[in-house]
Amino acid sequence: LPVAVLLAILLARYITRPIRELTSATHQLAGGVFDVDVPSGRNDEFGELARAFNTMASRVGASQAEMRTLVANVPH
């Protein structure tokens, strides 16, 4: 029984860690920090989700930079 409990705890951490990392990165992105990077070294659905998030964050950051440049160059 103690071995089963230990394995359950390890499995829970293995599953929840990428969710916590993605949640933290999402809060940062919502706060305007666009250079967030979620670790994406896993070869499962969590890794795929992390890579998609990183791509999205990069594109949103690039769009925000382009918008700031455009607004700065528009004559007032």
Side-chain angles (χ1 to χ4, degrees):
L1 185 63
V3 173
V5 171
L6 178 62
L7 288 175
I9 290 170
L10 292 174
L11 180 61
R13 285 186 180 172
Y14 180 76
I15 292 171
T16 59
R17 180 177 294 140
I19 295 170
R20 285 193 313 264
E21 290 170 343
L22 186 60
T23 300
S24 174
T26 301
H27 289 298
Q28 291 177 26
L29 185 66
V33 178
F34 301 110
D35 61 346
V36 295
D37 187 52
V38 179
S40 60
R42 295 171 59 140
N43 292 321
D44 58 7
E45 289 82 1
F46 290 121
E48 184 177 344
L49 181 60
R51 286 185 290 278
F53 178 87
N54 291 338
T55 299
M56 178 193 67
S58 175
R59 289 181 181 170
V60 169
S63 293
Q64 288 292 319
E66 289 173 9
M67 185 173 64
R68 282 191 295 273
T69 300
L70 177 66
V71 169
N73 291 332
V74 171
H76 295 279

